[in-house]
Amino acid sequence: MTNFTSIDWTTWTPKDIATLMFIIRDNQVLLIRKKRGLGAGKINGPGGRLDPGETPVQCAIREVEEELLVTPTGVEEAGELRFQFVDGYSIHGHVFRASDCTGTPGETDEAIPLWTPLNAIPYEEMWADDRFWFPLLLNRTPFSGRFLFDGDSMLGYELEAGTPAI
């Protein structure tokens, strides 16, 4: 499965379901430098895989609390991302935005918090797909994306803007 057009996204089933959460306030977004797991070393938003019986929004809030020691507030759906890796791994990500948080972000064994100005997003240190959908998140435009990766290299993608988040 090294060709994006060979993937039948209508029957595609992810191995994992996960979330990402981006807290945006005062012209800044709370990002993390990931310390372990998929994407270790990269800058991203806090998030992770759903626990059994958990909804995506419950997972997103829990992951922020675990990774950054804050609780997001004003949470809303932003979009969805489907990733297929050539090694067979696949993940369906639900992306959320929050307008604030309670508490002060702190470093944990999973993440280093990074308040980042909205005009200085470090795309060169993020996953290759982020530069396509992250501006939609910042503009409050719903999105749905499908991406094929070989390790860190993006081989192909489709992105729909203005589609309702699922």
Side-chain angles (χ1 to χ4, degrees), residues 37-103:
L38 183 66
K42 291 187 182 297
I43 293 176
N44 204 340
R49 291 168 186 83
L50 266 69
D51 284 344
E54 197 173 42
T55 67
V57 71
Q58 290 169 333
C59 173
I61 292 168
R62 174 184 55 77
E63 288 286 348
V64 173
E65 290 173 341
E66 290 175 3
E67 293 181 13
L68 294 176
L69 310 174
V70 296
T71 300
T73 59
V75 174
E76 58 188 31
E77 293 179 59
E80 65 175 328
L81 305 169
R82 292 176 175 90
F83 298 98
Q84 180 64 54
F85 290 83
V86 297
D87 67 4
Y89 183 63
S90 56
I91 190 166
H92 181 181
H94 296 267
V95 184
F96 295 89
R97 174 181 38 247
S99 58
D100 206 349
C101 62
T102 57

Side-chain angles (χ1 to χ4, degrees), residues 90-146:
S90 56
I91 190 166
H92 181 181
H94 296 267
V95 184
F96 295 89
R97 174 181 38 247
S99 58
D100 206 349
C101 62
T102 57
T104 302
E107 182 174 347
T108 64
D109 60 352
E110 294 188 51
I112 300 167
L114 304 167
W115 279 111
T116 305
L118 296 181
N119 63 359
I121 304 299
Y123 290 115
E124 66 282 354
E125 296 186 68
M126 300 168 78
W127 284 96
D129 60 286
D130 292 5
R131 69 180 62 250
F132 299 105
W133 60 264
F134 202 77
L136 298 171
L137 172 108
L138 295 177
N139 289 326
R140 305 179 83 85
T141 301
F143 56 88
S144 179
R146 292 162 295 286

